[in-house]
Amino acid sequence: MSYTVLNAQLTSGLLGDREVAGFFTTEADIAAMVRFEAALAEAEAAAGVIPEVSAQQIIALCDIFRPDMSGLAVGIERDGMVVTDLVRQLRGSLQGQAAQDLHFGCTSQDLIDTSLILRLQSVNGLFAKRLGQICATLTELQTRFGSKDLMARTRMQAALSTTVAHRIVGWQAPLERLSESFQAVQSTLNVVQFGGPIGSLAALGPNGPHVRCLLAQRLGLNDPKGAWHTDRSRLLEYTFWLSSLANALGKLGQDILLMSQDERGEIVLTGVGGSSAMAHKKNPVKAEILLALARFVTTLQSGMQQASVHEQERSGSAWALEWMVLPQLCIATGTALITAQTLLNSVQSLGDP
Amino acid sequence: MSYTVLNAQLTSGLLGDREVAGFFTTEADIAAMVRFEAALAEAEAAAGVIPEVSAQQIIALCDIFRPDMSGLAVGIERDGMVVTDLVRQLRGSLQGQAAQDLHFGCTSQDLIDTSLILRLQSVNGLFAKRLGQICATLTELQTRFGSKDLMARTRMQAALSTTVAHRIVGWQAPLERLSESFQAVQSTLNVVQFGGPIGSLAALGPNGPHVRCLLAQRLGLNDPKGAWHTDRSRLLEYTFWLSSLANALGKLGQDILLMSQDERGEIVLTGVGGSSAMAHKKNPVKAEILLALARFVTTLQSGMQQASVHEQERSGSAWALEWMVLPQLCIATGTALITAQTLLNSVQSLGDP
Amino acid sequence: MSYTVLNAQLTSGLLGDREVAGFFTTEADIAAMVRFEAALAEAEAAAGVIPEVSAQQIIALCDIFRPDMSGLAVGIERDGMVVTDLVRQLRGSLQGQAAQDLHFGCTSQDLIDTSLILRLQSVNGLFAKRLGQICATLTELQTRFGSKDLMARTRMQAALSTTVAHRIVGWQAPLERLSESFQAVQSTLNVVQFGGPIGSLAALGPNGPHVRCLLAQRLGLNDPKGAWHTDRSRLLEYTFWLSSLANALGKLGQDILLMSQDERGEIVLTGVGGSSAMAHKKNPVKAEILLALARFVTTLQSGMQQASVHEQERSGSAWALEWMVLPQLCIATGTALITAQTLLNSVQSLGDP
Amino acid sequence: MSYTVLNAQLTSGLLGDREVAGFFTTEADIAAMVRFEAALAEAEAAAGVIPEVSAQQIIALCDIFRPDMSGLAVGIERDGMVVTDLVRQLRGSLQGQAAQDLHFGCTSQDLIDTSLILRLQSVNGLFAKRLGQICATLTELQTRFGSKDLMARTRMQAALSTTVAHRIVGWQAPLERLSESFQAVQSTLNVVQFGGPIGSLAALGPNGPHVRCLLAQRLGLNDPKGAWHTDRSRLLEYTFWLSSLANALGKLGQDILLMSQDERGEIVLTGVGGSSAMAHKKNPVKAEILLALARFVTTLQSGMQQASVHEQERSGSAWALEWMVLPQLCIATGTALITAQTLLNSVQSLGDP
């Protein structure tokens, strides 16, 4: 057992999703924050809030900026988040007015939350593609094996004879529903965070909403028409969707575990796992992992809900809890998608033996 | 402490919702099941699956049927659910063909799940009304106190001075979002369950989908175009919506707890609780309860998610877990709505003293 | 589905524990509180804190006191707990000095928490007896079937042939460990709560610890040497023990579900559940319920842990959350014990067919 | 936000515990497994189960063995755990009889679980020391500030004036209780896992228990008198203790958050966090993190409980869930200990201003 199995050297091949994890690195996070500062300068200049020349200097800096990582580490330990020192470093590379104009009317949460949203956009592109592929593979399995006989089971007991097609529909239907709702989930999620220190954009006066709208456009995001510093419902709806997906794939794993019992032989898989002690064992490892991931993601989703009550205008503690939970919730869901695909690809036969 | 505080004689005035609880009584449950059997007979006769005369006898019986409750209790203990004995009792009051035609092609889960949906429809009517009233009350508070000064607080520290209006917007925005999505949530939820023993409607042959559609119409529900015996995602989406609501109200409670601290005096409430030991104490009881309910509903929602992986064509254990969790999740959310309204009604003043 | 399945008229025979639920009624709760006030008066008189004559009057009243329930209900709704009005009612039946001396130096939490502990003592007597009986029944099954062959299964696959004895040891060992630790768990749990308004017993001056010790003796409880208003760890250790028990019984249920699959026939049960649609079905209802209860109790235990951070000298919200969770956690564990016993009693044969 | 904040480059200074994380690396895990194989060979030779010469060759190999990591990675992905390939690699470096004698009568779970226990022993040494230091620091704060006035607060309202001493006792008492129970918790936890393929040690015949006892001695562990492949209660008791500790520290954080509110000024801290937008802000970052960690550890503990029902003789899915949860639960608790110490060290004054 290594910490954590999702990103450890050895176990991440089994239990991790290196592609999705790539969006949760420090580098990816800071790059998105710097992109935010450039877009903000551009939007504020366009709205006449800061001078065009400041914006140009800020944008030019953001293009080439490389943070002093050890300085950031010290800042994080002191401030509880990276932004204070990051802004200090950026300002240190700017002159006079531009230094003042950087980050104008903004707050750390604007950067941190928007950086998350930008990276989730990319993650969701992957998820949509993988989910589509899983549905397509189920359709192929339907074609190959759908007409074969299968005993239906209710309450763990043989019920009536049916076909493999009926079981596959039971797997596919919730995945299709999730596919259909994913566009709407993403469109709710893909909003800029921009509210300034207390969420009111007060420093921008009447220009606030216009700047937020321009900023959103430049980042390819929607304008939420307000700050959501304390209203985490968009994130929650998203992780709820992820947990529903993980559980739909968990059912697939659970069913295959039951079907692959020796006396049943209702499914034959290739590439199943070996044992250190019993040469004859063929462990349905991927199916086990799907079920474990479903329970893991469900556990993490309950943590997201515990993090959803933010007091007053910003909760440091609820927010930090979100940081601990959300990235691994995404990666574990990504792992579930990869694992399900591998498992389905390994199906050699389906149906009563 | 009495079991349970949500429905005990004394505590249900504080922590319960007697109106919503009324939809989770045995009587309401069985009445909805009997209504289902009548509608099914009507639909099956209309589709030519059973004779019209059988349907008439079944419908007539359902109109006057009074179950033998002690028989049902024995049946539940033996079968793990009420339907087997309920159908036996109904059949016992019918003659010949009609006795056979009752419940034709149907299964216990069809009755139990549809009965739940029918009752949730009524619950949701109440919830929509209450939520609307809370939003209206917040608008009134906005009018009365919105322009008063209030210190905004981030990370539990005084941040910048703002107005009461800004704080109220922070409470209202998530409630408005929930209001807007409630129609869609209900429309997803309000579907008939009808799949027969293994979810395939096999006994009805090609008539299955048509009967399901007619049955849905007669019950005022949508046709889900399939059975959802093992796909609990509609229920999960609904209880997730409830938990989001409870948490949005929990934030209201948490903020008011903080605002009513002695040194702050940012809110004045009437009707606050007394202490058995300290006559000067004015405990903001309703605010405390809102926060407790948010955590309670979140806990129950994690139970709903644990119940969402159903194995094969029906899971007795996952389904039973749902029965333990869902009703109290609804009632606790209802209590949160009542409590929030009472709390908001008791606001005498808002803003910096 | 009826609210709640644990105490509804019909379902409590299957999913409830009427004996344990009896300790969580309003009557039982208030009786224990009144007993506390009598014992406190006696202890305070013995320590010279209040006059002997006051104590006699209080004790005499407590013997015959019948609360005005509708008054209590109004009080609970106002104060968030029952004690303020209960003390008011008791005082109303006393004269002069005795009225003042009642509840001296005490606070509502002292009554509510101690009442809970007193009732849990009785509950635990039942639990110890039931757990002992289950272990004895497993020993009997060991005698009857232990030498029969059984295929051992690891990772859901046939591993090596063993005997039924080995499987039964796997069920019994965790139950025996729990049996052994139960005495220590109870002895930690069985403490009086007595701290006064802020937990310091300040009103009693130097007599505080002595009165607490005398009070504990009179109630048959241990003296915790301090107040535990905000330190809920004793309760948490207790409910953790309960959840460990429910999960150990859940494994029994899960294994029996798998063993009773048609192709296996490794277990034969009497009295299994019937289906409304398939006459041949023999549903292992009790085994399903054991598994569902394990997940339910685990869910509730996570709620208890969420309730364990009390702020400052008393948290109204964390405490209210405990009230919502703890009683049903006890009752569900009691149901698991009853269900396991019934299930084991129904075993007709064990071992490879 | 970086995945994961507990071990990411930047955030692990704030939210991680690098010392504890060191025990959850792949290297530490495999080193402990190799140590297990050496100790097993020694024990089996001492019991006459394998020849002394085989044991010597195995022990010599284990001293110098360096695994082929890429081979292990492939094996993990195929087998769902590392042991099958690790044993294959070790055997590949041995000749004839010794190759056969390695891992005799053993199974992968024996290695994986014992490796975990061995590393937790070291982790717990750290935890005991840190917890002792926190208690000592609280005693120092008691000496420095205990006699100062402080307003006690119940239900978020000013109750009665007391001293700082009373508040500190409220923090210290649960930590002292945890200190006292830690020895017993460790002694329950520190057991060898040795059961062979199905937990029966069948391959060793009558020598099984003796070998297990010798193996335990050589590893400095206790003999559990049986295998605990499916009985995870020792691990659960341990992580429950960790979660109780995290919650006791969470109360400290929560109280300090409330005390450091501007209007209160009941505590003064050095080294508090800065804001990117408001120069005057002094965010009590460490206190926030303590509260967040309490909720995080509680969430993970609920995952441990979900992982506690193992079916039949080994559950691949429940076990994999444990791997996902347990290491981060330990590290987060370690972080809480570090954070609490830093927070307490930063206290400049305590008491009413």
Side-chain angles (χ1 to χ4, degrees), chain A residues 1 3-4 24 29 79 328, chain D residues 1 3-4 24 29 79 274 328:
Chain A
M1 204 186 304
Y3 173 74
T4 85
F24 291 104
D29 191 3
D79 304 321
Q328 53 181 318
Chain D
M1 205 186 303
Y3 173 74
T4 82
F24 292 104
D29 192 3
D79 304 321
Q328 54 181 317

Side-chain angles (χ1 to χ4, degrees), chain C residues 29 64 110 119 128 166-167 199-200 209 226 258 276 308 310 335 337:
Chain C
D29 192 3
I64 58 158
D110 295 337
R119 291 173 292 133
H166 185 58
R167 176 69 54 85
S200 63
L258 291 168
S276 74
S308 72
H310 277 235
T335 306
L337 284 164

Side-chain angles (χ1 to χ4, degrees), chain B residues 1-4 6-7 10 13 24 26 29 78-79 103 106 108 119 273-274 276-277 285 288 292 299 317 328 331, chain C residues 1-4 6-7 10 24 26 29 77-79 103 106 108 119 273-274 276 285 288 292 299 317 328 331:
Chain B
M1 205 186 304
S2 298
Y3 174 78
T4 86
L6 276 70
N7 68 354
L10 284 183
F24 292 104
T26 306
D29 191 4
R78 180 189 56 233
D79 304 321
H103 195 68
C106 193
S108 53
R119 291 173 292 133
S276 75
V285 171
E288 292 172 335
T299 298
S317 61
Q328 53 180 319
I331 295 170
Chain C
M1 207 185 302
S2 298
Y3 172 74
T4 84
L6 275 70
N7 69 351
L10 284 183
F24 292 105
T26 306
D29 192 3
E77 206 165 336
R78 180 188 57 233
D79 304 321
H103 196 68
C106 193
S108 52
R119 291 173 292 133
S276 74
V285 171
E288 293 172 337
T299 299
S317 61
Q328 53 181 318
I331 295 170

Side-chain angles (χ1 to χ4, degrees), chain C residues 140-158:
Chain C
E140 286 166 36
L141 290 174
Q142 193 63 281
T143 307
R144 285 164 64 198
F145 306 112
S147 61
K148 292 195 66 180
D149 286 339
L150 184 72
M151 176 55 69
R153 316 258 169 180
T154 58
R155 310 185 77 156
M156 295 292 281
Q157 296 289 301

